[in-house]
Amino acid sequence: MATKQLYIQTMGCQMNVYDSERMAKVLEPFGYSLTDSIDNADLIIANTCSIREKARHKAVSFIGRQADLKKRKPGLILAIGGCVAQQEGKNLLKQSHHLDLVFGTDTLGRLPGLIKRLENGEGRLTDIELTGIIDEIDPYFGEGKSTEASRFVTIMQGCDNYCTYCVVPYTRGREKSRPPEAIVREIISLARAGVREVTLLGQNVNSYGQKEGLPSFAELLAMINNVDGLERIRFTTSHPKDFGDDLIAAISSLDKVCRHVHLPVQSGSDNILKRMNRNYTRADYIEKVTALRAACPDVAIGSDIIVGFPGETQADFDETLSLIDEIGFDGLFVFAYSDRPDAPSSAFGNKVEEKVKKEQLNQLLKIQEETTRQKNAAMVGREIEVLVEGLSKKGQDNQAPQYSGRTETGKIVNFVSENGSSKAQSGTMVKVSIERALSHSLWGRAVQ
Ligand code: SAH
Ligand code: SF4
Ligand code: F3S
């Protein structure tokens, strides 16, 4: 069969990265192989994100830019998938006359059938049904070796929490979980291919399996902990309201589960948390973090913050500042609030000015930079286990090879290894003595 070239532009979160791999996998038996060159593509897929207006804009302008290519190459198939496609459906076909296919987030298994119909000359198609089932398409099977030491695995998808600002319940549908057997089988095959770390993905991993009556998330972690060859297990995202004692016990007792938790708080103000429909208070959040730190004193905690939620006052923002100070996060993602279609907060009054949001965002980033600098400085002089991900960017043109990897707590470490490639290959665990702390990474030397 002649090979056709597939180009995928992935925008958005880790779940989209995983889904793009599944799209490539499901199209492979139909003669499509991945290319890095958009000009050579026979099929272009934009896998899109709708979380903020900026992300949506990026998706729509990417599609717009392909109009010329399509004119030059009439046989080219142009498809849009992911969260913008799910939410906007056939309206996208109306907006972009050169677009051939709009497909949703739940039906990746149907992609070959849709592409076949387009290849056979059928007109422009839309398929955005939310089926409530995650199609089983394992992205990595066979005897081949993985080029990456770390991979994503979706364990559940969708969200029932309906935070008032968020579009995800409308783009990923209701919460649904994959059977544990399918997840474990996939991870065994990844480990056989040389993968040493998996990051389990879900919009709210803590409520994994609850609806279906499957084992709990903590029980799933215990099953995955038994996979031979796997060294590290990460997961994201945890919702504070469902972050329970069983999960804390799993993190502290299971040796492969990293002491690294992303626990988005969004705001330090009870008033705002309530209006966001987060279902926990500032005190609840602090209590959970305290319990987690008591069980795992060396745990790293990261978070997300939204600044400028409608109606947020300076006093509310001050509460966020004081929470950040009280917790001392290891990492922080800060977002300026953005109105989303379908999200109830779009209709809330007292919108905060863009200028104010920008100032607050920069203020939080600055504070976090200083905390990270202090936390990184405290690592100097320590010997830390690093999972090697490959040569560092600098390492490739330096005489002494410089490698790059991550600590259990997710920090990037660039290091030199005197006895070179035999020791520090991608996928190996290397003990590194930390010599310098930089603002976004650590620098060290492999311990012989
Ligand atoms: N399921 C995860 C988050 C998914 S979205 C959770 O509940 O924490 C990732 C982050 O984007 C969110 O944590 C939030 O901080 C941010 N976000 C979501 N909607 C947003 C909006 N409308 N405007 C700005 N930031 C938003
Ligand atoms: Fe969005 Fe809230 Fe669900 Fe996270 S928990 S995906 S922020 S609705
Ligand atoms: Fe974006 Fe969809 Fe992920 S909206 S953040 S790609 S779930």
Side-chain angles (χ1 to χ4, degrees):
M1 196 194 310
T3 346
K4 295 166 277 185
Q5 303 289 302
L6 162 65
Y7 180 90
I8 307 183
Q9 179 79 21
T10 309
M11 307 170 220
C13 65
Q14 296 157 326
M15 194 170 279
N16 271 12
V17 174
Y18 180 76
D19 283 349
S20 291
E21 288 175 1
R22 295 164 76 222
M23 291 173 198
K25 190 75 192 169
V26 86
L27 287 168
E28 203 178 82
F30 296 85
Y32 283 95
S33 68
L34 271 177
T35 175
D36 290 337
S37 155
I38 196 163
D39 292 325
N40 291 339
D42 301 293
L43 165 62
I44 297 174
I45 298 178
N47 190 7
T48 61
C49 173
S50 174
I51 199 79
R52 283 167 288 275
E53 178 50 33
K54 234 191 213 163
R56 181 197 176 270
H57 181 76
K58 215 165 108 186
V60 174
S61 56
F62 174 82
I63 294 293
R65 284 201 303 277
Q66 308 321 315
D68 278 350
L69 193 58
K70 177 93 182 188
K71 255 187 228 146
R72 278 187 274 131
K73 227 176 149 179
L76 171 70
I77 298 175
L78 186 57
I80 181 166
C83 291
V84 175
Q86 183 65 55
Q87 208 180 11
E88 300 186 26
K90 59 175 181 298
N91 284 340
L92 290 165
L93 291 181
K94 283 188 208 138
Q95 277 169 40
S96 305
H97 296 285
H98 53 294
L99 192 58
D100 298 296
L101 169 66
V102 181
F103 66 100
T105 51
D106 255 8
T107 51
L108 302 194
R110 296 185 192 165
L111 198 49
L114 292 164
I115 301 294
K116 189 113 243 141
R117 285 168 60 191
L118 291 167
E119 283 177 347
N120 291 339
E122 251 188 81
R124 309 167 74 208
L125 305 174
T126 308
D127 183 354
I128 54 159
E129 189 190 354
L130 284 170
T131 60
I133 300 164
I134 304 178
D135 288 341
E136 285 301 330
I137 308 157
D138 297 323
Y140 207 95
F141 270 112
E143 297 308 310
K145 284 280 163 215
S146 171
T147 50
E148 291 135 323
S150 181
R151 304 277 292 218
F152 300 127
V153 176
T154 290
I155 61 162
M156 54 98 62
Q157 205 188 116
C159 192
D160 294 349
N161 289 322
Y162 292 96
C163 301
T164 51
Y165 52 81
C166 187
V167 84
V168 171
Y170 314 99
T171 65
R172 293 274 176 183
R174 300 288 66 70
E175 256 175 40
K176 53 217 162 238
S177 297
R178 291 176 67 195
E181 304 77 35
I183 297 167
V184 171
R185 193 170 58 104
E186 181 173 338
I187 296 175
I188 290 173
S189 104
L190 289 172
R192 281 201 192 123
V195 172
R196 294 290 160 256
E197 175 183 280
V198 289
T199 303
L200 309 176
L201 303 178
Q203 272 77 34
N204 182 12
V205 290
N206 310 144
S207 56
Y208 168 82
Q210 273 173 23
K211 215 181 230 177
E212 293 85 356
L214 295 171
S216 69
F217 181 53
E219 287 163 341
L220 178 72
L221 285 175
M223 291 181 207
I224 299 171
N225 200 66
N226 288 331
V227 173
D228 285 338
L230 191 69
E231 302 266 6
R232 285 178 173 176
I233 305 165
R234 301 186 188 280
F235 53 87
T236 196
T237 302
S238 292
H239 194 299
K241 81 173 164 57
D242 302 313
F243 196 82
D245 290 341
D246 61 337
L247 182 54
I248 293 180
I251 299 167
S252 71
S253 66
L254 298 172
D255 62 322
K256 293 178 186 173
V257 175
C258 291
R259 286 162 160 64
H260 184 202
V261 177
H262 188 64
L263 198 59
V265 65
Q266 314 298 359
S267 168
S269 152
D270 280 342
N271 168 38
I272 297 296
L273 287 172
K274 191 148 194 232
R275 295 178 56 244
M276 285 177 163
N277 192 33
R278 289 292 285 179
N279 280 304
Y280 54 84
T281 61
R282 174 194 176 99
D284 295 335
Y285 187 86
I286 293 172
E287 200 180 299
K288 304 234 170 170
V289 168
T290 309
L292 175 62
R293 283 184 168 156
C296 321
D298 49 353
V299 69
I301 302 174
S303 206
D304 295 349
I305 302 276
I306 297 177
V307 294
F309 187 77
E312 187 172 286
T313 62
Q314 182 63 40
D316 292 316
F317 180 66
D318 289 344
E319 293 270 309
T320 297
L321 284 174
S322 81
L323 182 79
I324 291 170
D325 185 50
E326 191 167 341
I327 303 277
F329 290 109
D330 290 80
L332 209 54
F333 293 105
V334 187
F335 305 104
Y337 170 82
S338 162
D339 270 343
R340 306 310 299 126
D342 294 330
S345 63
S346 306
F348 291 4
N350 296 324
K351 294 274 155 59
V352 175
E353 270 181 69
E354 289 304 320
K355 189 173 135 271
V356 174
K357 288 191 236 176
K358 207 174 212 169
E359 278 166 15
Q360 293 180 335
L361 190 138
N362 288 335
Q363 190 180 346
L364 293 192
L365 290 180
K366 227 174 178 174
I367 291 171
Q368 189 55 40
E369 220 165 81
E370 178 54 23
T371 313
T372 308
R373 198 192 60 73
Q374 286 172 14
K375 290 200 183 232
N376 283 354
M379 313 275 281
V380 173
R382 286 172 54 183
E383 283 184 5
I384 293 172
E385 199 118 59
V386 170
L387 174 63
V388 183
E389 290 178 353
L391 280 175
S392 77
K393 277 187 205 118
K394 269 192 195 155
Q396 302 175 23
D397 40 51
N398 268 9
Q399 275 191 328
Q402 190 172 315
Y403 300 91
S404 188
R406 274 177 202 270
T407 66
E408 182 183 343
T409 57
K411 289 188 189 302
I412 296 171
V413 179
N414 295 310
F415 65 97
V416 284
S417 173
E418 253 82 70
N419 65 353
S421 57
S422 61
K423 196 163 178 214
Q425 271 171 3
S426 167
T428 53
M429 296 288 260
V430 171
K431 200 169 252 181
V432 176
S433 167
I434 305 298
E435 297 187 357
R436 264 189 287 144
L438 307 160
S439 49
H440 297 290
S441 63
L442 299 163
W443 193 89
R445 203 171 287 280
V447 177
Q448 298 305 309

